[in-house]
């Protein structure tokens, strides 16, 4: 089992590309598009997230995916787990009443929002994205959700994301 997990992690790692000075000078961008192009790598990501959730968070009610790459992995995981999926979008992209929060990115600021009826108070949620976006935790607090943790494909250790999501856990597949 450990060998299978390691093989999946290696496959995912090999499919992540780095681009210097994108989206602006001084940023080393980690590109996950090759994962999406490779069915085995995409399956590996979903398998690894599913294994983590079934082992550590079997009580989860919803997977909450962040705009936009969380939308790619979140629904696949939610379907496997038999739970719902909820979108966190960039400001102005959702119809109806919403809640929003301003948060810091690696290279600027952004504002995210969620439909105000998408998560009920007390629901147990897991956040998923390619990289850690801490603003979603604030949105879930506004929704009075119980945040079980955050899951990402890539953790950029120099950004110290684990400190930013405390007291919640952070599960990452790959660390740089």
């Amino acid at each position: 089992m450990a060998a299978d997990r390691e093989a999946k992690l290696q496959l995912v790692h090999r499919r992540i590309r780095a681009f210097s000075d994108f989206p602006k000078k001084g940023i080393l961008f980690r590109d996950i598009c090759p994962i999406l192009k490779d069915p085995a790598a995409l399956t590996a990501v979903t398998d690894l997230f599913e294994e983590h959730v079934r082992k550590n968070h079997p009580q989860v009610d919803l997977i909450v995916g962040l705009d936009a790459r969380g939308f790619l992995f979140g629904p696949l995981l939610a379907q496997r787990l038999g739970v719902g999926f909820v979108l966190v979008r960039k400001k102005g992209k959702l119809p109806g009443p919403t809640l929003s929060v301003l948060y810091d990115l690696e290279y600027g600021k952004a504002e995210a929002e969620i439909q105000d009826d998408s998560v009920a108070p007390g629901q147990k949620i897991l956040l998923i994205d390619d990289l850690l976006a801490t603003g979603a935790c604030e949105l879930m607090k506004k929704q009075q959700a119980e945040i079980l943790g955050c899951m990402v494909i890539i953790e950029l250790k120099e950004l110290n994301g684990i400190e930013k999501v405390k007291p919640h856990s952070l599960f990452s597949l790959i660390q740089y």
Side-chain angles (χ1 to χ4, degrees), residues 155-174:
E155 178 187 358
L156 301 174
K157 292 187 80 70
E158 71 269 12
L159 298 181
N160 205 18
I162 198 160
E163 290 298 318
K164 294 176 182 172
V165 299
K166 278 186 176 179
H168 313 295
S169 64
L170 174 63
F171 174 73
S172 57
L173 299 182
I174 308 293

Side-chain angles (χ1 to χ4, degrees), residues 55 60 68 116:
K55 180 179 177 184
V60 67
D116 69 0

Side-chain angles (χ1 to χ4, degrees), residues 86-142:
V86 172
L87 306 168
V88 171
R89 299 278 333 250
K90 292 177 178 78
K91 179 89 172 146
K93 300 290 185 182
L94 290 171
T98 61
L99 298 171
S100 66
V101 65
L102 188 67
Y103 64 97
D104 292 322
L105 294 170
E106 179 184 4
Y107 46 85
K109 291 192 179 295
E111 193 166 2
E113 67 182 359
I114 189 168
Q115 290 175 318
D116 69 0
D117 63 351
S118 59
V119 178
Q123 278 193 298
K124 296 171 176 61
I125 65 99
L126 284 166
L127 295 158
I128 189 168
D129 203 6
D130 62 333
L131 291 167
L132 185 62
T134 57
C137 288
E138 292 306 312
L139 274 177
M140 294 301 101
K141 288 177 190 170
K142 284 185 176 184

Side-chain angles (χ1 to χ4, degrees), residues 140-158:
M140 294 301 101
K141 288 177 190 170
K142 284 185 176 184
Q143 295 283 79
Q144 299 175 16
E146 182 180 334
I147 304 168
L148 300 177
C150 302
M151 301 181 301
V152 296
I153 296 173
I154 300 168
E155 178 187 358
L156 301 174
K157 292 187 80 70
E158 71 269 12

Side-chain angles (χ1 to χ4, degrees), residues 63-75:
I63 301 296
V64 177
L66 282 61
D67 198 341
R69 292 173 191 91
F71 300 173
L72 303 172
F73 303 100

Side-chain angles (χ1 to χ4, degrees), residues 5 9 15 23 25-26 30 43 47-48 50 58 63 68 84 104 110 114 158 162 165 173:
R5 183 179 192 288
L9 286 169
R15 295 299 181 268
K25 191 158 184 64
R30 303 291 179 166
T43 299
D47 289 349
L48 291 162
E50 180 185 13
I63 301 296
D104 292 322
I114 189 168
E158 71 269 12
I162 198 160
V165 299
L173 299 182

